[in-house]
Amino acid sequence: MRHIISVLMENEAGALSRVAGLFSARGYNIESLTVAPTEDPTLSRMTLVTTGDEAIIEQITKQLNKLIDVVKLVDLSEGAHIERELMMIKVRADQAMRDELKRLADIFRGNIIDVTDVSYTIEMTGDGAKLDAFIRVLDPDLIIETVRSGPLGIARGGKRLAI
Amino acid sequence: MELSGAEIVVQALKDEGVEYVWGYPGGAVLHIYDALFNQDSVRHILVRHEQAATHAADGYARATGKVGVVLVTSGPGATNAVTGIATAYMDSIPMVILTGQVPTPVIGSDAFQEVDTVGITRPCVKHNFLVKRVEDLAETIKKAFFIASSGRPGPVVVDIPKDVTDPNLRIAYSYPDKVEMRSYNPVEKGHLGQIRKAVDMMLDAERPVIYTGGGVVLGEASAELTELVRLTGFPITETLMGLGAYPSTDPQFIGMLGMHGTYEANMAMHETDVLIAIGARFDDRVTGKIAHFCPNARIVHIDVDPASISKNVRVDVPIVGQVKSVLHDMLRVLREHPRKSGGERIKGWWDRINGWRTLDCLRYEQGPGAIKPQYAVETLYNVTKDDDFYLTSDVGQHQMFAAQFYPFDKPRRWINSGGLGTMGFGLPAAMGVQQAFPDATVACVTGEASIQMCIQELATCKQYNLPLKIVLLNNGYMGMVRQWQEFFYDGRYSHSYVDALPNFKMLAESFGHVGMRIDNPADLEAAYREAFAMKDRLVFMDVIVDPSENVYPMIEAGKGHHEMHLSPHLSSDRELA
């Protein structure tokens, strides 16, 4: 089963590689991983998406907690939560295609953030399925490049992951 | 007090109460070695290879419970230490390893003797640090000792670039009394509700087994464990790492369990209805095939490391906490409980265990011919049992024979590489033990293959007058490899014969030690007595043993506890009882 885990960790050099190393050393799956400092610059927040049965997820959370740099973590999948992913997608946009691409971007509530004679770059956020859907409606030949952040997650309601 | 980084390293070790540092100098640590030169409160032991420095510090830590300290240079100094660091990591041994690093401005430039020490050691340390500023040095060293020795212990590497130890860069020094880390708060006490649940389960048990591991030794919980075993009347079995936590000569001890455990211990595991696992981690050498593991048991597991719980085997009552503290609480709950455990309820269980015992699964026959390795260990016990005695071992058949035939009655007396299985561990580990306890009798039981992996340390033993007793069970083969090849590869002994052996007696003598060669069982005890009477000399006993002897009982990898191979000496009809 897919799980999305948020990790608060010391913003130290090498902290990211400890997490990445743990996953490869113990053979856990890792689908995506994003990390950036929080409003408290001594802390980073990492969001990672992994898959595994209950026993494996339990081990993953325990092993993550065991890392000295990890302050706190939560398996967001255990409760109601929101996920968002950012995608930037660069597409071929010749004169004939421009209106259609703009309409499609609007339908998906994307923004065109860069324009040249031959291309549009569209920014879009949503859960992974929405971004996948947008890619599917585009003619593959039009896609020049895509970049996705991997999901970020946060619990619904007043709960928070903080120290 | 204004100190340079190099002086801070030495002063921090003093303030930490460190007696010994095992190490080897080199370019990146020269400033630190210079600071070591003009003082005598931290004693530096010069080894002949960095791997030995880590094993010696490890042996010291295992025997004393204190943190073992290592100092090596960058690059090859650090990489040579990695085997010893991984050895300590697998067995949760508290160590601090100080490694030199190239100066910060050239890190990442493939400088001379540069490796990414923090990267290389990351998977085999509890934690590691790269100290980039001299201002961070004292606090980082404090953290390293704190992390290494608290919670589930383990090795911590502190990588120190050369410019951080610059003798011309002096700063105010103060060593923190303690450190607080918001991200690291090891658990002390176990949950009382869980402990009560465990006690209820234990009181209901009809076929209980207490199964303990190295955590009881590391957690200094021998007294509490012994009391628990006596109070409940339950049988106890120990892992290779746990031997000595409960007195092995006591009748409630049913032997080591696992791949080379006793028949009665493994059969008891197979039939138990309540298993109480304490400071043990359900290693594959202990469990055998998980699907066959304790098929009828409900399981209580006490461990300081939550990640050890339900990692390999799903348990029913997990208790996270320091073993000593949890057992203390458990004893109180047991004593105050209106019901009593053991007694009549488990009498039939003991009858069954004693029935298994009559098989005498470790029986061997010592004839007038070749010395049996079992006899060599048993005789060693008879000669040393009244001494203040420590035994280290290397890895292989001799290790298993020692574990089976030398009954340890106290913790920290049996020192071996259980998790990683590091050949070459025994001799340097014994050096660390002897350094810690100069008046104790320290022996290393080893094989002719293992001993050659760190044999250069005979020179260190000479330099520091370490009167070790080395008992080499010389069968000419990597015995355990040969045994597996006999069983599973139709006797194709591929590269397990150790050809071109040196004359170990002369080799030992060339290092300035006493050498002996013993090949007649009739001479063995007298030779041991002569050797152990030489209190101030290292004696290297080359004991020529039967090359065809195998370690029994044996559970093949992937088999269950009830599927033991027994010695051909024993009646075969009980083999799969």
Side-chain angles (χ1 to χ4, degrees), chain A residues 10 18 42 59 62 66 68, chain B residues 128 182-183 305 307 309:
Chain A
E10 298 289 352
R18 289 183 209 280
T42 67
Q59 264 300 305
K62 283 173 166 179
K66 199 169 151 180
I68 303 287
Chain B
N128 57 18
R182 60 183 173 184
S183 63
D305 177 11
I309 290 177

Side-chain angles (χ1 to χ4, degrees), chain A residues 65-85:
Chain A
N65 260 318
K66 199 169 151 180
L67 292 176
I68 303 287
D69 285 337
V70 169
V71 182
K72 218 171 184 183
L73 65 83
V74 61
D75 181 352
L76 290 172
S77 333
E78 286 178 350
H81 68 280
I82 303 158
E83 286 181 33
R84 288 291 182 272
E85 183 173 356

